[in-house]
């Protein structure tokens, strides 16, 4: 008998809920469509009024920069040139490092993992010997920051993780001699000009 009452109560609640939902749906006021309103869009019920809406892509609005002097504008133009020069290398480093992490994640054999790390290291060294070595000191400094921006880890941390502490320490010593710092990090606030250049460059459209 108790079970019968329980099921009867549940049935009444279900029917009431369905009736309430139908009543709410009937009361919804939809906008009047014109003859050219043929695109299906989403709608949200706002106190009985169905408000159509459509998601828009992010729009970045930037103001026209006013330069304090021709020298300041020239410095910005040089920075822009250097950022766009090294940005492809930072994106390559991100792609290659992410690929290495995926390969290591599915490989349990230590010997095979060392092979993967060596292959990645050889590939980066090859690119360094053919292209990156031609970068200026300023471009190299920007590149280390952009690697931190894209990968989420400093160049020093990447070397330490893949080659070990001693290799990272050795590379850092050499880098410091030529004016680089593998521990350099990226800060969007401090490096706001670089961030602005990257955002307006079209890399993330």
């Amino acid at each position: 008998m108790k079970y019968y009452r329980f099921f009867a109560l549940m049935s009444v609640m279900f029917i009431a809920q369905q009736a309430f939902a139908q009543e709410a749906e009937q009361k919804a006021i939809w906008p009047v469509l014109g003859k050219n309103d043929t695109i299906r869009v989403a709608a949200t019920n706002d106190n009985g009024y169905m408000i159509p809406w459509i998601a828009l892509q992010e729009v970045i609005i930037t103001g026209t920069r006013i330069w304090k002097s021709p020298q300041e504008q020239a410095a910005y133009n040089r920075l822009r040139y250097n950022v766009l020069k090294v940005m492809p290398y930072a994106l390559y480093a991100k792609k290659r490092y992410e690929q290495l992490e995926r390969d290591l994640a599915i490989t349990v054999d230590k010997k095979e993992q060392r092979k993967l790390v060596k292959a990645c290291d050889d590939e980066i060294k090859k690119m360094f010997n053919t292209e990156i070595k031609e970068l200026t000191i300023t471009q190299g400094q920007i590149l280390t920051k952009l690697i931190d921006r894209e990968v989420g880890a400093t160049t020093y941390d990447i070397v330490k993780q893949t080659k070990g502490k001693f290799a990272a320490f050795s590379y850092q010593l050499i880098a410091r001699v030529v004016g680089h710092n593998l521990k350099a990090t990226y800060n969007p606030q401090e490096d706001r000009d670089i961030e602005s250049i990257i955002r307006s460059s079209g890399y993330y459209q």
Side-chain angles (χ1 to χ4, degrees), residues 12-103:
V12 171
M13 292 177 61
F14 176 78
I15 295 173
Q17 183 180 9
Q18 290 294 103
F20 178 78
Q22 292 178 0
E23 183 181 358
E25 183 178 355
Q26 292 174 355
K27 288 183 178 180
I29 301 176
W30 291 84
V32 179
L33 300 180
K35 63 178 182 179
N36 295 323
D37 294 328
T38 57
I39 300 176
R40 291 180 176 271
V41 299
T44 299
N45 191 327
D46 183 14
N47 295 324
Y49 291 88
M50 300 304 296
I51 309 299
W53 58 272
I54 186 171
L56 300 177
Q57 293 183 349
E58 179 184 9
V59 177
I60 300 176
I61 301 176
T62 57
T64 302
R65 186 163 182 171
I66 300 176
W67 306 102
K68 296 179 180 178
S69 65
Q71 291 78 13
E72 184 185 49
Q73 184 174 7
Y76 180 85
N77 290 338
R78 286 194 300 271
L79 177 63
R80 177 178 175 81
Y81 172 81
N82 290 331
V83 170
L84 297 182
K85 175 75 174 180
V86 302
M87 188 62 184
Y89 299 127
L91 293 175
Y92 170 83
K94 175 184 180 180
K95 180 180 178 181
R96 190 62 184 88
Y97 185 65
E98 289 177 345
Q99 180 63 50
L100 176 61
E101 285 191 320
R102 288 194 294 268
D103 293 340

